[in-house]
Amino acid sequence: MQNFKDKIIVITGAGSGMGRTLALQLAQRGALVLLSDIHEVGLAETEQLVQQQGGRCKSYKVDVGDKPQVEAFAKAVLDEFTFIDVLINNAGMAIGKASFDEIPMADFERLINVNLWGVIQHTKLFLPTMLTRPEAAIVNTSSVFGLFPVPSQVPYCVSKYAVRGFTETLRMELNGTNVAVTCVHPGGIKTNIVNYGIHYNDGEKVKAEFDKVAITSAEKAASIIIRAIEKKAKRVMVGPDAKLIRFVSQLSPNLLDSFVLRRQQQLNAKLK
Ligand SMILES: NC(=O)c1ccc[n+]([C@@H]2O[C@H](COP(=O)([O-])OP(=O)(O)OC[C@H]3O[C@@H](n4cnc5c(N)ncnc54)[C@H](O)[C@@H]3O)[C@@H](O)[C@H]2O)c1
């Protein structure tokens, strides 16, 4: 994408973290940013921050995991603006550490609704108008957990592998059209993802562990993602940890499996 001036950009999960920093940086570049989030307080804060820096935005309270709400959101946006140029499917939620057999199916389903169906449904509803634009972009947030299997994270890995599969296949299908498609794989980014997640018995421990591995700021992550949209990148690894994981997963998936299993054993031993 050449530039973002006057582009109409939908950003889901804009009330915090990378969604917020993407909103601020894209508004700074002259885009009209349409912000959605389930948390009204965070959403209002982002709106205020965008306006304080002289940017243009409008916000919508939407649960991306709720089909009727997403349909109403898309209708409201398209009734008012007719089209959008960029869709950033960023909203997502995490789940605490638990084995597959311990996780209630209701939590698994909720996570898939938010992290996967939210992405698919927004894309389905906005893509037709995007195909009418001179240039457009769909940006879907997967994770490094969409690149390698992590024990105790079955639902999250399933959702992020699936976002990757959806995004990469859609990219191939849209090859030769005006719509570029980018899959985003963040490593550990300092955001509220773990604070807002579903947790079981060890919420505080998971948060403390996350603080140690979240090495990239949300601001830095947003600038990397924006650069990827400009370059029409197929995929982008966000942070040095994500780059390393991708490299090792391609070089030797077995090596990565061994590393993950060893790390898991160390963590379990510490728990005892
Ligand atoms: N932070 C990381 O280390 C990391 C790593 C890999 C991938 N990700 C992914 O990056 C994306 C952005 O997350 P973040 O790290 O900025 O976290 P964050 O929690 O700071 O921001 C996510 C936003 O999504 C919103 N959200 C959650 N559920 C929603 C729902 N049902 N409907 C609408 N909005 C909802 C939250 O309210 C929040 O404002 C997510 O998809 C996450 O899975 C994050």
Side-chain angles (χ1 to χ4, degrees), residues 12-19 36-39 62-65 89-94 110 114-115 141-145 156 160 185-194 196 210 214:
T12 69
S16 173
M18 286 182 265
S36 82
D37 204 288
I38 194 170
H39 288 126
V62 184
D63 175 353
V64 300
N89 280 310
N90 161 81
M93 62 182 288
R110 171 67 179 152
V114 172
N115 287 8
T141 306
S142 172
S143 169
V144 286
F145 283 21
Y156 192 77
K160 294 302 187 180
H185 296 274
I189 315 294
K190 289 187 197 78
T191 69
N192 283 312
I193 189 75
V194 169
Y196 288 170
F210 177 72

Side-chain angles (χ1 to χ4, degrees), residues 62-75 121 125:
V62 184
D63 175 353
V64 300
D66 182 298
K67 201 165 173 252
Q69 285 191 38
V70 176
E71 281 165 356
F73 167 59
K75 184 172 180 330
Q121 209 198 346
L125 293 166

Side-chain angles (χ1 to χ4, degrees), residues 52-198:
Q52 272 169 8
Q53 63 172 31
R56 292 174 299 151
C57 67
K58 182 159 181 172
S59 60
Y60 306 78
K61 182 178 185 291
V62 184
D63 175 353
V64 300
D66 182 298
K67 201 165 173 252
Q69 285 191 38
V70 176
E71 281 165 356
F73 167 59
K75 184 172 180 330
V77 166
L78 296 177
D79 281 352
E80 183 169 356
F81 300 102
T82 317
F83 61 83
I84 67 164
D85 301 288
V86 180
L87 170 62
I88 305 184
N89 280 310
N90 161 81
M93 62 182 288
I95 196 159
K97 289 189 171 178
S99 62
F100 170 64
D101 60 333
E102 287 168 341
I103 293 172
M105 279 309 280
D107 290 353
F108 202 148
E109 282 172 20
R110 171 67 179 152
L111 188 130
I112 295 295
N113 280 338
V114 172
N115 287 8
L116 176 61
W117 281 112
V119 172
I120 295 173
Q121 209 198 346
H122 279 76
T123 307
K124 184 84 178 164
L125 293 166
F126 285 111
L127 177 59
T129 76
M130 299 177 78
L131 284 164
T132 67
R133 304 299 300 149
E135 55 170 1
I138 295 171
V139 181
N140 293 339
T141 306
S142 172
S143 169
V144 286
F145 283 21
L147 299 173
F148 74 110
V150 184
S152 80
Q153 285 293 306
V154 169
Y156 192 77
C157 282
V158 168
S159 73
K160 294 302 187 180
Y161 267 81
V163 167
R164 172 181 159 208
F166 171 64
T167 308
E168 295 207 342
T169 313
L170 187 72
R171 170 175 59 74
M172 295 295 277
E173 202 171 287
L174 291 174
N175 185 42
T177 73
N178 59 316
V179 184
V181 181
T182 300
C183 194
V184 178
H185 296 274
I189 315 294
K190 289 187 197 78
T191 69
N192 283 312
I193 189 75
V194 169
N195 294 330
Y196 288 170
I198 299 174

Side-chain angles (χ1 to χ4, degrees), residues 254-266:
N254 288 341
L255 184 68
L256 195 55
D257 278 2
S258 313
F259 173 78
V260 172
L261 289 171
R262 213 173 37 244
R263 176 107 183 97
Q264 186 78 9
Q265 278 164 2
Q266 285 165 351

